[in-house]
Amino acid sequence: MTIQQPTDLTHAAMLGLGVHRPERVVTNDEICEVLDSTDEWIQTRSGIRTRRFAGEGETLIGMSISAAEKALAAAGVEAAEVGCVIVATSTHPEHTPASAPQVATALGITAAAFDISAGCAGFCHALNLAASMVRSGAEKHVLVIGVEQLSRFMDPTDRGTAFIFADGAGAVVVGPSESAGIGPTAWGSDGSQAHVITQTPSCMGLRSHTDADHPVVQMEGTAVFRWAPFAMAEVAHEALRLAGVSVDELDAFIPHQANLRITQTLARNIKLPDTVAVATDVIDSGNTSAASVPLAMEAMLRQDEASAGDTALLIAFGAGLSYAGQVVTLPPLAR
Ligand code: UT7
């Protein structure tokens, strides 16, 4: 007996991008009403001026649906044509069930739908899965969503996290294309640094904690700061090598929006020419973890710092520690 397998190998690309930015803009001064810090310290150390927090009625699932609808419209793809939905998130409030089936159903999709957790690198992981599915012929269109509602998982008095993390969603439709629009992914992990970014207490740990009703994100920021700009420079070089693209052939560099200083050091370490546009959405949006790369892509396209069809290097890193990067062709936005 022979097991039938699709053999129509094809190229994959991002066909459309959509985002949901929550309405509520939160300034550093508002953060410092509770946090022992200052607007000047936050801007100097992280670059962040404002971030957005989901308001009443804005949920992780709702933000995902909103971003996905715009991505489908930008791609000109009907919900019924989607063969798989992947949601990258670390802040869906339940371990079970996953968020993706509810997002899919709200969009009128009955295809496979599941969540993945790879911290701030989740979107770039999901993009690799989606591209692999499309390239292999397993699915024609895959919806990838990066979404976070970190404001629900923060201690507003924690000086290490309260000013950094924020909320939002970004989605892309991955589908077949005439040329490769998503390069091979350079990815990896380092579980020996699992303790560096955690949700504390763990869900089980809550049982023995009398003073906590939900976990919050905790981070050894300096440890991440020492690791990311150097380790991610190697990942950037690997992603470029795999794609056969040199650093001066890039139009845009869109790293995870963790901290403006990390972005700037990373750009220096990979010897990025001044001609390459660099994503700086962290200034307005804070660190939205798995949503940060698609949100940063959207900001660059909206502000005409980059155009659909441009060549960009994506790199993301975070809890796990996990990381992934790939060279891509930027997708169109819904207008
Ligand atoms: O997205 C997932 C990956 N995460 C990241 O990439 C985050 C990476 N890390 C960072 O972005 C930075 O480490 C932070 C922005 C979190 C912190 O910046 P830093 O330059 O590493 O500051 P630090 O923790 O070394 O603290 C420097 C000083 C200390 O004071 P002394 O000892 O020099 O007198 C801290 O006590 O700043 C003090 N400090 C603060 N002051 C005001 C620490 N946090 C704060 C604060 N406000 N929030």
Side-chain angles (χ1 to χ4, degrees):
M1 195 191 88
T2 312
I3 296 176
Q4 201 173 307
Q5 207 176 299
T7 49
D8 301 346
L9 290 185
T10 185
H11 291 302
M14 293 185 279
L15 306 183
L17 165 67
V19 301
H20 180 93
R21 294 179 187 275
E23 285 202 359
R24 195 162 106 69
V25 176
V26 179
T27 62
N28 289 340
D29 285 337
E30 183 177 339
I31 293 287
C32 295
E33 285 170 14
V34 186
L35 184 70
D36 177 14
S37 188
T38 62
D39 173 42
E40 194 204 344
W41 190 95
I42 295 171
Q43 285 203 44
T44 311
R45 295 281 174 156
S46 70
I48 299 168
R49 285 195 207 129
T50 59
R51 77 285 289 141
R52 288 171 186 252
F53 286 173
E56 299 269 320
E58 275 181 313
T59 63
L60 184 125
I61 287 174
M63 292 193 289
S64 301
I65 295 165
S66 159
E69 283 173 341
K70 293 172 197 157
L72 287 164
V77 170
E78 298 294 328
E81 298 176 77
V82 172
C84 182
V85 178
I86 309 175
V87 175
T89 187
S90 302
T91 48
H92 177 43
E94 289 119 36
H95 274 173
T96 304
S99 68
Q102 295 164 72
V103 174
T105 294
L107 293 166
I109 297 170
T110 53
F114 56 89
D115 292 1
I116 65 156
S117 165
C120 303
F123 177 82
C124 290
H125 279 67
L127 196 58
N128 189 25
L129 298 183
S132 303
M133 284 184 208
V134 171
R135 275 188 216 115
S136 71
E139 296 300 339
K140 194 164 179 197
H141 295 104
V142 179
L143 181 59
V144 171
I145 302 168
V147 58
E148 302 288 0
Q149 195 168 354
L150 278 146
S151 60
R152 287 183 67 158
F153 291 92
M154 280 187 326
D155 171 357
T157 64
D158 177 13
R159 290 173 114 202
T161 56
F163 63 95
I164 291 182
F165 292 116
D167 303 342
V172 294
V173 177
V174 176
S177 75
E178 282 179 8
S179 54
I182 301 172
T185 298
W187 61 352
S189 62
D190 178 4
S192 73
Q193 297 198 70
H195 58 280
V196 169
I197 307 172
T198 58
Q199 275 197 4
T200 308
S202 67
C203 292
M204 292 309 287
L206 277 175
R207 301 176 75 171
S208 52
H209 261 259
T210 49
D211 57 344
D213 60 5
H214 68 284
V216 294
V217 176
Q218 286 192 339
M219 178 170 65
E220 293 177 25
T222 312
V224 183
F225 202 99
R226 287 202 189 112
W227 168 80
F230 304 97
M232 290 310 101
E234 286 175 29
V235 176
H237 286 307
E238 179 66 359
L240 288 164
R241 191 188 65 75
L242 291 170
V245 171
S246 71
V247 73
D248 37 45
E249 288 175 308
L250 291 173
D251 299 303
F253 176 49
I254 311 182
H256 165 48
Q257 300 294 288
N259 180 319
L260 191 61
R261 288 159 61 216
I262 292 183
T263 296
Q264 289 164 342
T265 314
L266 184 51
R268 268 199 307 279
N269 290 349
I270 62 175
K271 303 197 169 34
L272 200 72
D274 290 345
T275 48
V276 179
V278 178
T280 57
D281 192 41
V282 69
I283 296 172
D284 299 320
S285 305
N287 176 340
T288 55
S289 190
S292 94
V293 167
L295 283 169
M297 267 198 282
E298 185 269 348
M300 293 192 87
L301 293 168
R302 178 170 37 84
Q303 294 161 4
D304 290 327
E305 293 162 3
S307 307
D310 279 358
T311 303
L313 172 63
L314 313 181
I315 293 276
F317 50 90
L321 296 174
S322 301
Y323 51 88
Q326 56 269 103
V327 176
V328 299
T329 304
L330 291 177
L333 275 181
R335 289 281 173 193

